[in-house]
Amino acid sequence: MVDLVLRSRRVITPSGERPAAVAITGEKIVAVEAHDAPIEAASEVDLAETALLPGLVDTHVHVNEPGRTEWEGFATATRAAAAGGVTTIIDMPLNSLPPTVDVEALRVKRAAAEGQVHVDVGFWGGTIPGNAGDLPSLHDAGVFGFKAFLADSGVPEFPPVSAAELIKAMRTTDALFVVHAEDPGRLREPPPSAAYADFLASRPAAAEIGAIATAIDAARSTGRRVHILHLSAADALPLIAAAKADGVRVTAETCPHYLTLDAARIPDGATEFKCCPPIRDASNADALWRALADGLITSVVSDHSPCTPALKRGDFSTAWGGIASVQLGLPVVWTAARSRGHSLADVVEWMARRPADLVGLSGKGRIAPGADADLVAFDPEATFTVDPRRLLQRHAVTPYAGMVLRGVVTTTWLRGRTVTGGRLLTRER
Ligand SMILES: [Zn+2]
């Protein structure tokens, strides 16, 4: 007898959507059977037309604890994640104090997270000038790879690396390197201005293209793996396609805001839309969707990057750059994907299976025997209006306020139980 059976007319499996019964024992999925298969179970839930998805895997989340817990924190970020159908997050190494750049800093971060996470949490390490020697031991301690900035990160304790420093770091370990790709030489200081166009002009597509070329060169010359974070500029896509065709190990992700928001419609002074790289125009977003459809962009992750409401105020030159959307990514992307003719299975591919594969979490992001029973009941037809006060992140700041979105998460299971507590993850070997 199994512990739990979940039946749905719309189960999203690795081979597509179908009616099925998912059997769970302990923390694992033990079988995926026909919808009407007789299965003896201690309990059973019939979800009818509500879809059953694997829990999403968000490999790009800034939790900011310890050190800047007033911006966000493990309890609030993971509660928001669970409510949004995200059952695994990988936390970025910066904005917390200390940044996760050596084994001791990882120990401090794990101690801060312990006991207060509602979903499973893994950690990225970071590479900064001078810490290349720390990377092998930090990788052995279980981080999923290393983040590098090629431009100013926004915080002084996490300085950018040069192209030579990135190559030096990549030579120390076979870890995955994930890169914030903007070329500082092609960024300008934004003028003090309430107009979004002035901010956008200060961070042109050429800055992304230049830095992506640097990252690709590093991967080419070292033979290591590099992943381009939060790709905004669609004009960089041919560069990535050409490198892949040459056998360079490069992948790229984008974010819900680059896919769905339009620079031309950002109101004056609306700094909740500020992020780096910036949101660009609607034709750019169309090109990002095409790249997702043909697999050149592999995943969609939140880049959840909150701060205090006070830091988010001011004009576009002074406000903190970052959008907090771990709770809203699924309905934001599904609403737009559906209108563009994509399936729920496509969205699951981009937001669950491929991010899990990026970081080597073979038991996450898929509804299959042997996988963790991380599952989400999702009503794909229900609609709701985004009320910032109902978000579970620490601060009620979002560019999606007032939008009508399609798709409601009704229940989230982590390792076979409705969400209560998560675990700290280490890289699989
Ligand atoms: Zn980020």
Side-chain angles (χ1 to χ4, degrees), residues 191-341:
S193 170
Y196 181 77
D198 288 334
F199 169 67
L200 177 57
S202 75
R203 302 188 92 97
E208 281 190 72
I209 293 167
I212 288 169
T214 300
I216 287 171
D217 285 347
R220 193 191 302 272
S221 66
T222 59
R224 305 298 199 203
R225 268 202 305 162
V226 75
H227 178 73
I228 308 301
L229 299 167
H230 49 49
L231 178 76
S232 169
D235 286 347
L237 289 164
L239 203 61
I240 297 170
K244 283 173 84 117
D246 281 354
V248 178
R249 298 160 80 198
V250 56
T251 51
E253 68 186 29
T254 191
C255 306
H257 37 280
Y258 303 124
L259 291 166
T260 64
L261 301 176
D262 173 1
R265 301 180 65 172
I266 297 177
D268 283 354
T271 52
E272 64 270 28
F273 289 82
K274 180 179 175 182
C275 56
C276 300
I279 294 158
R280 305 187 192 276
D281 64 25
S283 67
N284 183 77
D286 289 342
L288 294 176
W289 279 102
R290 286 195 294 275
L292 259 182
D294 64 24
L296 185 54
I297 295 175
T298 50
S299 49
V300 181
V301 294
S302 68
D303 192 7
H304 181 81
S305 187
C307 65
T308 61
L311 283 171
K312 202 64 181 150
R313 282 195 283 271
D315 64 38
F316 280 106
S317 70
T318 56
W320 174 258
I323 289 177
S325 69
V326 71
Q327 189 175 341
L328 292 174
L330 175 59
V332 165
V333 172
W334 167 236
T335 301
R338 184 179 180 277
S339 73
R340 288 171 182 266

Side-chain angles (χ1 to χ4, degrees), residues 60 62 92 147 230 303 305:
H60 196 150
H62 296 263
M92 280 294 171
K147 181 175 197 181
H230 49 49
D303 192 7
S305 187

